[in-house]
Amino acid sequence: DSGVTQTPKHLITATGQRVTLRCSPRSGDLSVYWYQQSLDQGLQFLIQYYNGEERAKGNILERFSAQQFPDLHSELNLSSLELGDSALYFCASSVALAGEGNEQFFGPGTRLTVL
Amino acid sequence: AQSVAQPEDQVNVAEGNPLTVKCTYSVSGNPYLFWYVQYPNRGLQFLLKYITGDNLVKGSYGFEAEFNKSQTSFHLKKPSALVSDSALYFCAVMSYGQNFVFGPGTRLSVLP
């Protein structure tokens, strides 16, 4: 158990809908990262927050947004869902900023299925 | 730009034999290198990392990795494979101030 929690574990929804994925980082970790894992795209970095502020953006679509709250939990919002958004979404946390050699600890993921 | 290559999609090895999962990287600056393992329907688990110092890094579950700067490689190794080692393995690289870049993954199958 990495100490990172994600809810829900599974999510099934229809095209055009909006969903929210939730992540709680390990105790003491200030950085939260979101990744998308699909069969044909591998593990793609979406976005990073550090202590409530956005710090880095990866391949995140404009239909997607995220935030980190004062208690350090984070939410990833996915809107106008398309079939291609079906994937595993992982949250990870680390104690400090990326690029300082700190490993990231991953949550169990949320499997999103868009029908 | 940072990049990671894992040249083998699949590695098959017999139980008890040594295993190697290959990783090469490209970064500007000094690399920080990581290996993660993913079991079915689970998140990624951290195995080991190289930051600086000894080129041979030891990690969890008997795994080790060797950093080779001249060949820009960071291959994952284990002296004696177990069936339970069968999983998807990811190499990742970062340099100071940058985010992780993950390789495409290598599926390891250990055959009994």
Side-chain angles (χ1 to χ4, degrees), chain A residues 68-86:
Chain A
Q68 186 179 29
F69 294 86
D71 68 351
L72 301 178
H73 92 271
S74 178
E75 292 180 357
L76 179 67
N77 301 297
L78 315 176
S79 61
S80 303
L81 285 167
E82 302 175 358
L83 295 177
D85 297 327
S86 296

Side-chain angles (χ1 to χ4, degrees), chain A residues 3-61:
Chain A
V4 179
T5 60
Q6 289 187 249
T7 57
K9 192 170 183 179
H10 300 279
L11 200 49
I12 301 174
T13 189
T15 55
Q17 294 299 304
R18 172 189 169 96
V19 298
T20 297
L21 313 183
R22 182 187 170 102
C23 167
S24 292
R26 290 189 322 157
S27 177
D29 283 359
L30 299 178
S31 276
V32 169
Y33 312 79
W34 286 97
Y35 292 87
Q36 180 191 58
Q37 186 180 35
S38 56
L39 282 174
D40 56 347
Q41 295 285 326
L43 198 64
Q44 298 288 319
F45 167 68
L46 295 178
I47 196 164
Q48 181 211 354
Y49 280 82
Y50 176 78
N51 204 19
E53 293 188 4
E54 181 185 307
R55 294 306 296 254
K57 262 188 174 180
N59 299 320
I60 188 166
L61 300 172

